[in-house]
Amino acid sequence: MPELPEVETVRRTLRPHVLGLSLTGVDVHDGRLRTPVVARSLRHMLKERQIVDIRRRAKYLLVDLRSADSKAENDSQQCDAVLLLHLGMSGKVGLVEAEVPLKKHDHVVLHLSDGRQLRFNDPRRFGRIEAFAAREEAGHVLLRDLGPEPLGPSVDADEFHRISRGSKRPVKTFIMDAKRIVGVGNIYACEALFRAGIHPSTPVGRLSTPRWRGLVSAIRETLTAAIEQGGTTLRDFRNISGEAGYFAVELQVYGRQGEPCVRCKKPVRQLRQGGRSTFYCASCQRR
DNA sequence: CAACCGCCCTGGGAGC
DNA sequence: TGCTCCCAGGGCGGTT
């Protein structure tokens, strides 16, 4: 499942291949994604626009588009658009030649000016694809309430300590809350808490500033390491050529219930928090 | 308002 | 072999 490192890897991999190309057409084969894809409006927002950048915010890919035929500089501002992609649970982006046969679950196809196609494939249809005018980005309902980027400069342990004071909420659900900090999914939440030596059930309001510092560092290190390794494969991730994806990151606790802890050899335990499985070492991770 | 819970969806694995 | 059941999970809408 694509978490932040996978999305960042897709961004970095895709970007050099598509920068400067224009979108020449849009096919919607199955618009039943997280919210229905409206072919008409997607076409209207994308057609004849040139890809000028690909950014990432949380787990959203944001493709910056500029009107390709706009000669007048003052006109281009109004023509700027953003294509938003979320890979959900099982989404993949393929960059292929037009003659390559469609695969099952290739729901949306974007035609590129070099003859190739960007194909959005998503078996579980938890993904999202939509487009809007660039001026709408700041107030966009999916983006406006997002917390800071874990790898950005504004993530601050003192701030987390301040806003979590008095809260009895488990630390794990706190760091997975996108309003607090974005891009920490179930796998990396477990891994970061193990790295920081913090029990996932610890009431978040009881974490001292030094422990918060340790946790913030652990989140950053965990995500950075995964990005460097090209993202976790697990089941669904594929790289842009459509081949089996990058090698799996060495996971220390996630999915290892009953196996010996890499640090102390005691069995890794599993519990459920907010409907999600949590994996941890009761000996290495303390409240 | 913070916190929680159920739901969306399909494929894959386990068990019979 | 094929059936049923369960699980994976981000984010959103609804409720407490």
Side-chain angles (χ1 to χ4, degrees), chain A residues 44-176:
Chain A
H44 176 253
M45 292 303 297
L46 301 184
K47 199 132 187 269
E48 305 309 328
R49 287 196 161 99
Q50 185 182 29
I51 298 171
V52 294
D53 201 4
I54 305 183
R55 293 171 290 132
R56 180 188 55 75
R57 175 74 174 105
K59 293 175 188 167
Y60 294 106
L61 285 172
L62 300 169
V63 182
D64 286 323
L65 302 166
R66 193 164 296 161
S67 191
D69 57 1
S70 171
K71 303 276 192 290
E73 275 299 312
N74 58 355
D75 193 39
S76 66
Q77 193 71 15
Q78 206 173 1
C79 292
D80 284 357
V82 177
L83 170 67
L84 175 148
L85 280 167
H86 195 293
L87 301 179
M89 283 289 299
S90 55
K92 295 186 284 283
V93 179
L95 177 62
V96 296
E97 304 295 332
E99 54 270 20
V100 174
L102 279 181
K103 287 190 199 159
K104 195 178 179 184
H105 306 304
D106 276 344
H107 301 317
V108 180
V109 175
L110 307 176
H111 299 247
L112 298 167
S113 51
D114 69 348
R116 289 190 289 178
Q117 298 180 343
L118 277 176
R119 294 180 183 173
F120 185 75
N121 183 291
D122 186 9
R124 291 184 206 176
R125 303 212 301 268
F126 271 37
R128 202 182 267 280
I129 179 166
E130 62 175 81
F132 46 83
R135 65 185 128 77
E136 291 172 24
E137 181 177 326
H140 195 287
V141 65
L142 296 173
L143 305 172
R144 66 182 181 202
D145 296 325
L146 294 175
E149 287 288 330
L151 303 179
S154 64
V155 163
D156 176 35
D158 293 331
E159 175 70 359
F160 285 132
H161 183 249
R162 193 183 64 77
I163 63 176
S164 63
R165 199 168 293 157
S167 173
K168 295 191 167 85
R169 190 179 183 187
V171 61
K172 192 206 174 207
T173 63
F174 184 96
I175 63 173
M176 287 182 69

Side-chain angles (χ1 to χ4, degrees), chain A residues 31-46:
Chain A
R32 296 173 302 157
L33 298 185
R34 189 67 172 81
T35 55
V37 180
V38 184
R40 248 182 127 69
S41 70
L42 204 55
R43 254 180 225 123
H44 176 253
M45 292 303 297
L46 301 184

Side-chain angles (χ1 to χ4, degrees), chain A residues 201-276:
Chain A
S201 302
T202 311
V204 72
R206 286 192 7 208
L207 288 178
S208 63
T209 304
R211 296 191 90 201
W212 261 119
R213 283 201 197 101
L215 180 53
V216 167
S217 298
I219 290 169
R220 295 173 73 109
E221 288 160 11
T222 305
L223 294 174
T224 303
I227 290 170
E228 282 169 4
Q229 294 183 56
T232 306
T233 309
L234 289 188
R235 267 190 219 101
D236 294 317
F237 187 65
R238 299 289 184 276
N239 68 22
I240 60 153
S241 64
E243 300 301 311
Y246 305 84
F247 53 91
V249 169
E250 191 104 340
L251 298 175
Q252 315 227 64
V253 285
Y254 184 86
R256 297 193 62 240
Q257 73 279 12
E259 295 176 38
C261 168
V262 296
R263 202 175 286 163
C264 75
K265 310 298 180 208
K266 293 204 177 74
V268 171
R269 296 202 203 176
Q270 180 176 10
L271 62 85
R272 281 190 90 75
Q273 294 176 298
R276 304 281 178 261

